[in-house]
Amino acid sequence: MVILTFYKTHRNPLSYEDHSMKSYEMDGIAPSLMVLVCLGMVAGPASAATPDLTQFSIEDLMQVKVVSATKVEQSLQDTAAAVFVISAEDIRRSGVTNVMEALRLAPGVEVARIDSSRWAITIRGFNGRFANKLLVMIDGRSIYTPAFSGVYWELQDLPLADIDRIEVIRGPGGSLWGANAVNGVINIINKPARDTQGGLVSVTTGNEERSIVEARYGGKWGENAQYRLYGRQARRDNFVTPQEHDAGDDWIIRRGGFRLDWQSDGRDSVSIMGDAYEGDFNENMVVPLLVLPYAERRLDPARARGGSLQTAWEHRYSENERIGLQVYYQYEDHEALLAPFRLNTFDVDFQHGFQWGERQEIIWGLNYRRYRDHFDPSELIVLTPASLTAELFSLFAQDQIALTERWQLTLGARMERNDYTGWEFQPSLRLLWKPNDHQRIWATVSRAVRTPSRVEEDARINMVTMPPEITGSLPGIVATVGDRSFDSEKLTAYEIGYRTWQGRNFSLDVTAFYNDYDELFATVQGAPFLELESPSPHLVLPLHFRNLFDDDNYGVEIATSWRPVKNWWLQLSYSYLWSQLAERQWSPLNQVSLRSSWDIHDDLELDAWVLYTGKLGSVPTLSSLGTVSVDPYLNLTLRLGWRPLPDFELSLTGANLLDDQHLELVQEVFGYPVEIERSIHGQMKWSF
């Protein structure tokens, strides 16, 4: 019996009312801001603010180079994939203060805020706190957490001024990037150090964004090297419960880092990047009890710290041949009620690209990744064994073939071996047709897999308590139990797209897709057994992970840009997603985004952004809340920016202006509903 059916058949033993649950509070910890300060003479004036994209034609923007879709740098217009690029200027003019909200700019990306510090983000369905079919990278470094098959988005609170672009690939990327790049790939690409020379100070404050302070300095090191150092602290206020009570989920995160880029005679280049972070979070949870009232709300004072060190080397033999080597290490330490754990990741990636003859461009590579984790036991989750080392090996190859002047064929495949399911094969075929200089039609067929996580293999998670009147005897703990027989989830995807740009002021990008999923996971009820451990005897009602069912979804994504006059730019996007089993997709049927960027004067700009998110219906949660209804919501964001001096900018932004508060999603595990509030913040940015 599937767990979703199990919960629907019983009345929820826990009310939404706050007075029926205990609340655990903690005194906030407010360490001082870590700011990296560099002393010295500035070699020259800092570059001015990011150039205004309204000064470029749409035809120019179609030539933007992307790398995430094919691992080969090519123009967006000639990429046979559903690609969208969020530029640095898009981020600045949207008024967002973090990467997570910036991802709402891309069509087909589903962004739902769970509470003040947590987000659920996916592409083309299956959303949740740990959406497990999306690969996310920062400069090619995976931030996918194998313990839960997802991303801790709150830890990716990056300095937005350092981001060059965010490449969003909708659709599978397994043939290039490996397992878990199932529904899409997001690659956050930071600016090289040469583009961040001089100093930058930014201060943001508002009713929800209480204070965001950021400092950065970039300079030269000798003749061929540039560097930058940065420090950032963000403190954010709490949101509210549906009963308009204080949710208590305020949080703070501090981050510092560096980047060093070195170039020789044009053949060799080296980049070294590192960062460290520390955060304090207050997270609402509904946890099971073995005594009345059998569940309670807790405010968990979670902490997280970690860091990474990454180096990349590239050597160019010629214009058409190069080799590259990337090595990174990252460390994560989470102290939380749900899962206290530490994770070490070491990754080595090699690739070689060259041109074969006049018509073929080949790239191939090898990857080795090693994970080492340790889980501390908690009242909610126990993993056996507590520590584990897992390794992953892979080999990929891709061949881009210019069949004719108008036709291009891309063949790719990846062989990958993991410790859970052994060898996995992920091929892809892409075809691009150029009817003329201003139109592209493309189609793809690809296969991708999602490998099991540690939790699905080795964990017992105590989810919810069933009172004696339901079990007929003792209280019963419903617990998911990991299963070593759990296999990978598989996807075969079919996509077709059309892209056109007419003149210099209009573009249209349309993608239709059909996804066929096999062996998706669900849980089945096992035989109950008695457990005599404290605090009192109880039954355990186990639920085992199984590859139980198939599913499919299909949809369409549209993105269009239009510049009616030189100083006014409109961008409209629409996405539609239908699923055979909609209750498992946890995704809206419709999403619409309309953005307006208007340069009122050379130093004054006004931006408006309307975002509609359709009804999710009854969202199932693996807690005593059962199901929660999420209604459609309409967001309006307005931003007014003023630049009295070339290197000094002031802005005022209001977000979620159409309602006081609204619900976007409830975490699927131990979730408690928290509603997003209206926010207003001002920002000062000075570069020197």
Side-chain angles (χ1 to χ4, degrees), residues 285-392:
M285 302 178 67
V286 177
V287 299
L289 300 174
L290 288 171
V291 296
L292 287 172
Y294 299 114
E296 68 179 1
R297 171 193 173 194
R298 292 191 193 176
L299 195 62
D300 178 33
R303 299 198 69 192
R305 63 182 65 87
S308 68
L309 182 63
Q310 175 180 355
T311 183
W313 166 70
E314 182 180 277
H315 176 77
R316 290 187 176 271
Y317 293 99
S318 66
E319 183 179 351
N320 299 318
E321 184 176 5
R322 62 183 177 86
I323 61 172
L325 181 68
Q326 175 179 271
V327 181
Y328 70 79
Y329 167 79
Q330 59 187 23
Y331 170 72
E332 303 172 56
D333 185 352
H334 297 257
E335 299 175 12
L337 180 62
L338 174 58
F341 74 95
R342 294 175 294 281
L343 175 67
N344 295 271
T345 303
F346 175 73
D347 183 280
V348 181
D349 188 90
F350 168 82
Q351 64 183 44
H352 176 209
F354 62 95
Q355 188 167 330
W356 189 16
E358 296 182 356
R359 294 183 176 274
Q360 290 179 264
E361 189 171 4
I362 296 174
I363 185 169
W364 68 277
L366 301 166
N367 177 260
Y368 168 74
R369 186 174 300 166
R370 182 180 185 271
Y371 296 110
R372 175 66 179 174
D373 64 36
H374 178 79
F375 284 80
D376 297 324
S378 76
E379 62 182 283
L380 299 181
I381 182 171
V382 176
L383 277 86
T384 306
S387 298
L388 186 70
T389 298
E391 295 180 310
L392 183 148

Side-chain angles (χ1 to χ4, degrees), residues 274-581:
D275 69 346
Y277 64 84
E278 181 183 39
D280 297 283
F281 311 89
N282 292 309
E283 300 177 346
N284 283 279
M285 302 178 67
V286 177
V287 299
L289 300 174
L290 288 171
V291 296
L292 287 172
Y294 299 114
E296 68 179 1
R297 171 193 173 194
R298 292 191 193 176
L299 195 62
D300 178 33
R303 299 198 69 192
R305 63 182 65 87
S308 68
L309 182 63
Q310 175 180 355
T311 183
W313 166 70
E314 182 180 277
H315 176 77
R316 290 187 176 271
Y317 293 99
S318 66
E319 183 179 351
N320 299 318
E321 184 176 5
R322 62 183 177 86
I323 61 172
L325 181 68
Q326 175 179 271
V327 181
Y328 70 79
Y329 167 79
Q330 59 187 23
Y331 170 72
E332 303 172 56
D333 185 352
H334 297 257
E335 299 175 12
L337 180 62
L338 174 58
F341 74 95
R342 294 175 294 281
L343 175 67
N344 295 271
T345 303
F346 175 73
D347 183 280
V348 181
D349 188 90
F350 168 82
Q351 64 183 44
H352 176 209
F354 62 95
Q355 188 167 330
W356 189 16
E358 296 182 356
R359 294 183 176 274
Q360 290 179 264
E361 189 171 4
I362 296 174
I363 185 169
W364 68 277
L366 301 166
N367 177 260
Y368 168 74
R369 186 174 300 166
R370 182 180 185 271
Y371 296 110
R372 175 66 179 174
D373 64 36
H374 178 79
F375 284 80
D376 297 324
S378 76
E379 62 182 283
L380 299 181
I381 182 171
V382 176
L383 277 86
T384 306
S387 298
L388 186 70
T389 298
E391 295 180 310
L392 183 148
F393 305 89
S394 63
L395 163 69
F396 83 92
Q398 176 185 269
D399 188 3
Q400 284 193 351
I401 309 168
L403 301 175
T404 68
E405 184 179 348
R406 297 289 184 183
W407 289 88
Q408 177 179 288
L409 175 67
T410 303
L411 303 173
R414 191 177 193 102
M415 289 289 295
E416 188 169 75
R417 189 196 181 282
N418 65 79
D419 289 346
Y420 296 107
T421 62
W423 287 99
E424 301 284 1
F425 180 56
Q426 301 179 83
S428 70
L429 182 151
R430 301 179 183 274
L431 186 64
L432 177 71
W433 177 38
K434 307 175 184 179
N436 54 51
D437 291 342
H438 292 88
Q439 294 185 86
R440 301 290 186 268
I441 297 174
W442 58 271
T444 71
V445 180
S446 50
R447 182 180 187 270
V449 301
R450 201 276 297 183
T451 56
S453 67
R454 267 276 269 153
V455 167
E456 291 159 329
E457 292 265 335
D458 301 322
R460 168 178 162 174
I461 307 177
N462 296 326
M463 308 296 297
V464 66
T465 300
M466 291 297 160
E469 53 266 29
I470 293 179
T471 64
S473 55
L474 298 172
I477 285 283
V478 178
T480 59
V481 180
D483 197 313
R484 287 279 176 167
S485 64
F486 184 61
D487 201 0
S488 61
E489 300 179 311
K490 302 170 179 64
L491 166 68
T492 302
Y494 308 87
E495 300 173 90
I496 186 169
Y498 173 73
R499 188 178 293 134
T500 183
W501 55 104
Q502 301 300 321
R504 299 175 61 82
N505 298 321
F506 178 80
S507 71
L508 174 67
D509 195 317
V510 181
T511 301
F513 64 90
Y514 173 75
N515 290 335
D516 184 9
Y517 298 93
D518 295 316
E519 301 186 59
L520 293 176
F521 91 94
T523 53
V524 294
Q525 187 173 357
F529 60 90
L530 180 64
E531 199 167 58
L532 299 177
E533 297 177 1
S534 60
S536 62
H538 58 275
L539 295 174
V540 176
L541 311 174
L543 297 166
H544 300 278
F545 290 109
R546 293 286 189 274
N547 300 92
L548 281 184
F549 71 99
D550 303 334
D551 193 9
D552 58 10
N553 66 23
Y554 61 81
V556 62
E557 297 149 352
I558 302 172
T560 182
S561 295
W562 177 43
R563 183 184 294 159
V565 293
K566 182 179 179 181
N567 62 340
W568 186 27
W569 197 354
L570 295 171
Q571 294 175 282
L572 174 68
S573 66
Y574 169 73
S575 61
Y576 171 84
L577 176 68
W578 181 91
S579 170
Q580 178 179 336
L581 297 175

